[in-house]
């Protein structure tokens, strides 16, 4: 308690003592502030040393923390960063589907080439083969008439039988049926439409490009239900027919039609057993296509196509020249026998 508080007037000595007390308090305040500053500096140094130590819990947490938008542990049925087995299986199914589509496009492209080559081969070279068979029969008959040998007579009869065989079912319907059933020519005649034979063995590059794009977009194997599959089947049938005829304009119209139609639904992730069944079906389908591809390659027409893969139309011209040469030789031989 000060004298002022007790009602006693202050003196000069009292004022001096009060000044000394205020100075002592200021010194104490400055000392405590310096100690607080020292403690803060020490804390920062300790924190810096901890930051430099390896294996800090904060570092481990930073390394294992999932990126923004990624599911946390257990959100997808497993540790973060690992997809569910169904997701991996669904990805495998999508990859297998695309691979099958590409393989089927290649097989169908080759099938169209084989069928067109066979048809053009029959149209362009059929009369030459028939002429050769007739000349062979006449030569055999002329030789048998000159020699009278029973063996020559037998050969003459066999040669004539080749020229005029007994027609069978295959021969009767050869020009009316193809791999898709009724041939376009037969259908055109039955409906009184003009016949449109293929213009060439291999359609133009633009037609092939349009066909591949349409097959990839509208392939029936991409359907998610039976209604969608039926729609795609009907559309792809028209695409195949247009490509078989090399009708580039019709393919462009079909491309516009598909672009204006309903968009294909996004594939939905199914259960594991459904995905396995889908993979099994894709495998079986690929095996069937492999057999078909082998049959096409091993056929006579397929073997001929492999002789000129870059220009099959020119191959027909070369064969025609060879046949014309053989016809000339046979005619000369026949002329020598009958003179």
């Amino acid at each position: 308690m000060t004298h002022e508080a007790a009602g006693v007037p202050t003196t000069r000595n009292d004022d001096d003592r009060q000044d000394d007390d205020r100075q002592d308090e200021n010194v104490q305040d400055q000392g405590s502030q310096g100690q607080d500053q020292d403690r803060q500096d020490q804390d920062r140094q300790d924190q810096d040393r901890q930051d430099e130590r390896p294996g800090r819990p904060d570092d481990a947490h930073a390394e294992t923390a999932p990126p923004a938008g990624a599911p946390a542990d257990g959100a997808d049925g497993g540790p973060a960063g690992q997809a569910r087995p169904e997701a991996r299986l669904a990805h495998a199914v999508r990859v297998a589907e695309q691979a099958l589509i590409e393989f089927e496009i290649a097989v169908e492209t080759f099938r169209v080439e084989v069928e067109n080559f066979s048809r053009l081969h029959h149209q362009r070279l059929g009369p030459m083969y028939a002429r050769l068979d007739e000349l062979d029969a006449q030569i055999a008959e002329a030789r048998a008439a000159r020699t009278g040998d029973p063996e020559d007579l037998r050969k003459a009869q066999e040669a004539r039988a080749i020229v005029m065989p007994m027609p069978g079912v295959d021969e009767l319907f050869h020009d009316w049926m193809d791999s898709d059933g009724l041939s376009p020519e037969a259908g055109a005649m039955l409906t009184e439409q003009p016949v449109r034979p293929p213009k060439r063995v291999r359609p133009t590059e633009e037609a092939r490009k349009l066909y591949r794009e349409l097959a990839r977009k509208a392939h029936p194997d991409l359907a998610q239900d039976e209604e969608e599959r039926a729609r795609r089947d009907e559309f792809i049938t028209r695409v195949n027919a247009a490509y078989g005829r090399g009708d580039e304009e019709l393919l462009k119209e079909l491309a516009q039609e598909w672009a204006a139609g309903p968009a294909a639904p996004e594939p939905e992730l199914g259960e594991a057993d459904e995905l396995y069944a889908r993979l099994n079906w894709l495998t079986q389908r690929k095996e069937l296509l492999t057999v078909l591809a082998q049959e096409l390659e091993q056929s006579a027409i397929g073997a001929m196509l492999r002789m000129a893969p870059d220009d099959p139309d020119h191959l027909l011209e070369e064969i025609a020249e060879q046949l014309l040469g053989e016809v000339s030789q046979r005619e000369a031989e026949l002329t020598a026998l009958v003179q």
Side-chain angles (χ1 to χ4, degrees):
M1 179 180 294
T2 63
H3 297 291
E4 184 178 2
V8 180
T10 59
T11 63
R12 182 178 184 83
N13 292 334
D14 292 332
D15 292 338
D16 294 337
R17 280 195 298 270
Q18 291 179 2
D19 292 338
D20 293 338
D21 291 340
R22 282 194 293 272
Q23 291 177 1
D24 292 340
E25 291 176 357
N26 291 334
V27 170
Q28 291 177 358
D29 292 340
Q30 292 177 359
S32 61
Q33 291 177 0
Q35 292 175 358
D36 292 340
Q37 184 65 34
D38 293 340
R39 281 195 298 271
Q40 292 177 3
D41 294 339
Q42 183 64 34
D43 291 341
R44 281 196 293 270
Q45 292 176 2
D46 294 340
Q47 182 66 30
D48 293 339
R49 284 194 293 271
Q50 290 178 2
D51 292 342
E52 295 175 356
R53 293 174 187 172
R56 292 189 305 113
D58 292 342
D59 291 342
H61 177 74
E63 292 176 357
T64 59
D73 289 354
D76 59 352
Q82 295 182 1
R84 292 184 300 134
E86 290 82 358
R88 295 195 298 269
L89 189 57
H91 176 71
V93 169
R94 290 193 294 270
V95 172
E97 286 176 342
Q98 292 301 320
L100 179 63
I101 289 174
E102 295 299 327
F103 183 56
E104 190 162 351
I105 288 175
V107 173
E108 178 64 17
T109 299
F110 187 60
R111 186 197 66 79
V112 167
E113 291 183 5
V114 169
E115 195 167 282
N116 287 350
F117 190 92
S118 177
R119 189 172 299 158
L120 291 174
H121 183 274
H122 178 73
Q123 291 175 352
R124 297 181 185 180
L125 307 182
M128 297 184 185
Y129 284 116
R131 177 58 178 166
L132 283 175
D133 290 339
E134 176 64 27
L135 288 172
D136 287 339
Q138 291 180 9
I139 289 172
E141 290 169 347
R143 186 177 290 110
R146 173 176 291 188
T147 64
D149 185 271
E151 183 64 18
D152 290 338
L153 291 174
R154 183 186 64 80
K155 292 180 179 180
Q157 292 174 355
E158 292 179 352
R160 180 54 60 184
I162 293 175
V163 176
M164 301 180 61
M166 179 67 66
V169 175
D170 293 339
E171 286 77 10
L172 288 174
F173 292 96
H174 174 72
D175 292 333
W176 288 74
M177 305 293 290
D178 58 18
S179 59
D180 295 327
L182 197 66
S183 67
E185 291 82 355
M189 286 186 288
L190 291 175
T191 56
E192 298 183 356
Q193 299 294 325
V195 178
R196 292 191 297 174
K199 299 179 180 179
R200 47 188 294 177
V201 172
R202 179 172 296 164
T204 63
E205 287 297 325
E206 181 64 21
R208 297 172 70 186
K209 179 182 178 182
L210 289 169
Y211 167 72
R212 289 190 175 95
E213 291 177 353
L214 287 171
R216 293 188 181 101
K217 293 178 181 178
H219 199 280
D221 288 348
L222 296 177
Q224 299 298 314
D225 53 57
E226 291 303 321
E227 182 179 357
E228 177 68 12
R229 173 173 283 277
R231 185 178 78 91
R232 289 171 176 267
D233 280 334
E234 186 276 334
F235 184 79
I236 285 295
T237 298
R238 290 188 287 147
V239 170
N240 289 339
Y243 179 69
R245 294 191 299 270
D247 195 335
E248 184 177 324
E249 292 302 320
L250 181 55
L251 287 172
K252 291 180 179 179
E253 294 177 4
L254 290 172
Q256 295 176 355
E257 176 184 336
W258 183 260
E266 292 294 329
E268 298 179 358
L269 182 62
E271 297 296 331
D273 54 349
E274 295 178 355
L275 293 172
Y276 278 118
R278 178 65 172 167
L279 277 178
N280 184 52
W281 183 88
L282 292 170
T283 301
Q284 294 177 355
R285 177 65 177 169
K286 185 177 184 299
E287 292 175 354
L288 292 175
L289 289 174
T290 301
V291 173
L292 175 60
Q294 291 176 349
E295 292 177 353
L296 290 172
E297 291 177 353
Q298 295 173 2
S299 65
I301 297 298
M304 295 175 68
L305 277 176
R306 289 199 303 273
M307 295 172 58
D310 297 330
D311 191 2
D313 292 282
H314 182 65
L315 178 60
L316 286 175
E317 298 176 1
E318 293 181 351
I319 296 175
E321 293 179 0
Q322 295 176 1
L323 292 177
L324 286 175
E326 294 181 11
V327 168
S328 299
Q329 294 177 359
R330 298 290 202 286
E331 290 176 344
E333 183 178 356
L334 179 62
T335 301
L337 285 173
V338 299
Q339 284 181 352

